[in-house]
Amino acid sequence: MDTTGKVIKCRAAVLWEAHKPLSIEEIEVAPPKAHEVRIKILATGICRSDDHVVEGAIANQKFPVILGHEAAGIIESVGEGVTSVKPGDKVIPLFLPQCGECRSCVEPKSNLCYKADIGKHFGLMSDNTSRFTCKGQVVHNFICTSTFTEYTVVDEASVVKIHDDAPLDKVCVIGCGFSTGYGSAVNVAKVEAGSTCAVFGLGGIGLSVIIGCKVAGASRIIAIDVNSDKFAKAKELGATECINPKDHENPIHEVLQKMTNGGVHYSFECIGNTEVMVSALRSSHFSAGTTVIVGVAPSFSKVSFEPMLVLTGRTLKGAIFGGYRSKDCVPQLVSDLMSGKYEVDKLLSHKLPFNEINKGFELLRKGESIRTVLHF
Ligand code: COD
Ligand code: ZN
Ligand code: ZN
């Protein structure tokens, strides 16, 4: 049946308010307006940022909302003026859009498009309306994507065509977690062959940083976590040593300084803990070291350190989505996965039917899953 131009009724996981389970509902999805596309979602991962909203940690999020921002699917229909995708194309929705026109999109070194909804959480399309309703109520979207639904509508800046043969249940992780971590190593830090790296926090993001360090040819990859259960997987993915700060009396940066004869070349904070951010900085070499902040710290928190730490020559940086310009880079990341440059199978720890989405959140909270991929 041709659904073009029609309202689609489908299943979605609606979060009516924070601190509640998600609720599987029948929703209505309006057709795409000009420069928008409607996507049939086929696979979607549960990421820590989705859970931040459920836990009420994202202050200005509007409710009710359809979460989800890491996914893959197929274009169902396109609005007027859409040129980059057509119905039937395999696509990845982009929580970090690339409009191609704003100040960030024209700056070659920037990737944070002004159309991004990160930190703003307006939760609406660019005409300030939503394409979702449920029980007569407007439902908001989440960071330009909303993928915990059978169908979603996004701006053309927030979607990109990928290879026709891409395995959607795997490449969905390129929509957030994998690219965020991997890109932090190869694109933001620009890890070099033979270098020494330290990765703090071994969730899906930290493990993806390890994959990136390994692909870049790092000779030592030191993985750090307070939960030693995380070490086995870190080693499988390329960590050469694993350390638990709880096993050491001295501060972790002293341990790392000693282990590496004066500090690592690259350190990555993949937790969102301001104290660990400073530990990561102190762990790097005083004049050759680079530290990348990947984790999102609580709003309004502050980082404090002596300026001498960077005056001596260290670099401290951060980036969203691994510094990748999303539309330009995601298709290549998909092709690299398909050609075997790296694999993501070990990150995809669980698979669940969409209806069991709340179980997927539980697994993430208990630290039992890296990524749960939901299928419809
Ligand atoms: N020292 C060492 N390890 C620690 C410490 C500590 N003090 N505290 C916690 N840990 C470990 C935990 O045991 C856990 O293994 C790990 O750190 C954190 O892992 P997760 O599973 O909580 O987190 P991830 O990998 O899913 O990553 C989430 C981030 C925390 C990095 C989160 O901030 C994020 O998703 N950042 C992406 C930023 C971004 O681009 N966001 C927009 C869309 S997601
Ligand atoms: Zn995410
Ligand atoms: Zn832009």
Side-chain angles (χ1 to χ4, degrees), residues 196-229:
T196 299
C197 303
V199 182
F200 291 79
L202 305 175
I205 306 280
L207 292 174
S208 300
V209 170
I210 291 177
I211 297 175
C213 294
K214 186 171 179 195
V215 168
S219 59
R220 286 178 81 184
I221 304 171
I222 307 169
I224 301 120
D225 203 297
V226 287
N227 178 355
S228 301
D229 292 347

Side-chain angles (χ1 to χ4, degrees), residues 110-246:
S110 165
N111 75 334
L112 188 42
C113 175
Y114 283 43
K115 276 200 173 181
D117 203 21
I118 300 161
K120 303 181 229 163
H121 298 284
F122 292 132
L124 296 169
M125 305 300 287
S126 50
D127 67 351
N128 285 323
T129 65
S130 166
R131 304 292 164 267
F132 303 127
T133 51
C134 180
K135 297 175 176 164
Q137 243 179 288
V138 166
V139 180
H140 291 86
N141 69 25
F142 180 55
I143 49 175
C144 300
T145 42
S146 287
T147 60
F148 295 158
T149 168
E150 289 175 291
Y151 289 88
T152 190
V153 176
V154 305
D155 192 287
E156 190 182 7
S158 264
V159 65
V160 71
K161 178 181 171 8
I162 56 170
H163 197 289
D164 288 334
D165 300 328
L168 298 185
D169 54 349
K170 286 189 188 180
V171 300
C172 59
V173 75
I174 290 173
C176 181
F178 174 75
S179 308
T180 298
Y182 181 81
S184 296
V186 304
N187 193 38
V188 182
K190 298 194 166 61
V191 169
E192 292 137 341
S195 58
T196 299
C197 303
V199 182
F200 291 79
L202 305 175
I205 306 280
L207 292 174
S208 300
V209 170
I210 291 177
I211 297 175
C213 294
K214 186 171 179 195
V215 168
S219 59
R220 286 178 81 184
I221 304 171
I222 307 169
I224 301 120
D225 203 297
V226 287
N227 178 355
S228 301
D229 292 347
K230 304 276 177 171
F231 294 164
K233 194 149 261 178
K235 284 208 165 136
E236 280 177 48
L237 288 168
T240 54
E241 293 132 279
C242 293
I243 47 179
N244 188 333
K246 290 181 176 167

Side-chain angles (χ1 to χ4, degrees), residues 3 10 21 49 64 74-75 84 109 129 151 177 186 209 214 219 221 271 275 284 300 303 306 322 324 333-334 340:
T3 45
C10 67
S49 303
I74 291 178
I75 297 286
S84 63
K109 285 188 179 171
T129 65
Y151 289 88
V186 304
V209 170
K214 186 171 179 195
S219 59
I221 304 171
I271 302 159
E275 283 179 23
S284 74
F300 313 117
V303 180
E306 318 85 87
Y324 287 121
L333 286 164
V334 170

Side-chain angles (χ1 to χ4, degrees), residues 47-50 69-70 95 143 176-177 180 371:
C47 173
R48 185 66 60 186
S49 303
D50 301 309
H69 60 283
E70 181 186 276
F95 76 84
I143 49 175
C176 181
T180 298
R371 262 301 178 274

Side-chain angles (χ1 to χ4, degrees), residues 99-100 102 105 113-114:
C99 76
C102 72
C105 286
C113 175
Y114 283 43

Side-chain angles (χ1 to χ4, degrees), residues 263-267 281 283-291 313-316:
V264 299
H265 295 104
Y266 300 101
S267 57
L281 189 61
S283 305
S284 74
H285 183 265
F286 68 94
S287 93
T290 294
T291 297
R314 288 182 173 93
T315 301
L316 176 61

